[in-house]
Amino acid sequence: MLGEYAWGAGALAYLYRQLGIASQAEAKGVSGCLTLLQCWIYDHFPTLRPTRLEPRELERGQAGAFRWRGTAPRSSKRRDAQMLAYYRQAIDSLTPQSVSWTPYGRSPHLTVRRTLYQGLLRFAEIAEYYDPTRCLRQLGYVQGVPYPPERPLVVRRPASTLGYSLSYHSVYDSYWNNLGAHSVHLDVFSTPIRRRPWEFAENYMSRYIRHSHPHILSDSRPVEDISDADTVSTIIF
């Protein structure tokens, strides 16, 4: 049992797993709580918000998704292809100034202590590792090289979406109910942001480029041309 807030942790674990499956070469769709993913995108990337959606104040008891309202345009193959090309280019063209780095306030972990939890999130047989050291700027801290991830017992990520498997030792299931021992101590790991909200440690960018994909489009700038000052490809969530 994961204990309190397990429904939220379960929804996030399931979404993480589905995003992993959707990243495989033969995947043609994605499932999970996509409303949660959409709201996260709208919160962090104002330039990617649909033009017909406008932020508004929530009434008591309303879900966060109600901050956005509007009607999506009618879908068609031509329009979908155009929108796909548009969003790919828009993401590659993002600048640090066009990102909302702390949409939940400078210190959300002070209100929701479990934000600093480091360990497994579980939904039934699905288990995904959660590590706040990968998104320190959301907490108002300088992004450094995150902790090495825990190694799963079983890893299968075939090109096909069938057979995708990831499992961890059961000992990690106990972490959720021992928050004090399994939380990140921010002031030990990093320092509060003083200047720019997208600050990162000196050794972070080289590590990111080695382990991630700085661009979506193949004709974007070479990796060697990326500088600390003009990229936001350093976001890892």
Side-chain angles (χ1 to χ4, degrees), residues 42-166:
Y42 295 166
D43 282 337
H44 288 84
F45 305 102
T47 58
L48 301 182
R49 296 170 186 165
T51 55
R52 293 191 180 185
L53 298 188
E54 298 178 358
R56 62 189 179 91
E57 295 296 325
L58 288 177
E59 297 177 7
R60 185 177 179 82
Q62 282 187 315
F66 280 95
R67 287 177 298 168
W68 312 98
R69 60 184 177 183
T71 303
R74 182 174 298 178
S75 179
S76 68
K77 287 187 177 180
R78 180 178 179 182
R79 182 177 181 84
D80 290 348
Q82 291 174 337
M83 293 301 293
L84 178 61
Y86 167 78
Y87 281 117
R88 284 174 172 172
Q89 184 62 55
I91 292 172
D92 279 348
S93 300
L94 285 170
T95 66
Q97 293 80 5
S98 61
V99 175
S100 177
W101 296 94
T102 53
Y104 314 119
R106 287 296 297 268
S107 304
H109 55 285
L110 298 181
T111 303
V112 183
R113 183 65 184 171
R114 202 169 286 275
T115 302
L116 300 180
Y117 167 72
Q118 186 180 41
L120 287 190
L121 302 178
R122 181 174 287 281
F123 173 76
E125 75 283 358
I126 293 175
E128 292 287 339
Y129 196 73
Y130 173 81
D131 183 3
T133 67
R134 291 177 173 268
C135 53
L136 289 174
R137 284 167 292 195
Q138 284 193 112
L139 308 177
Y141 278 71
V142 174
Q143 182 63 57
V145 174
Y147 286 126
E150 297 292 346
R151 296 296 181 183
L153 288 176
V154 177
V155 181
R156 292 190 69 245
R157 296 189 177 100
S160 169
T161 58
L162 299 176
Y164 188 102
S165 179
L166 191 71

Side-chain angles (χ1 to χ4, degrees), residues 2 175 190:
L2 286 178
Y175 287 12
S190 182

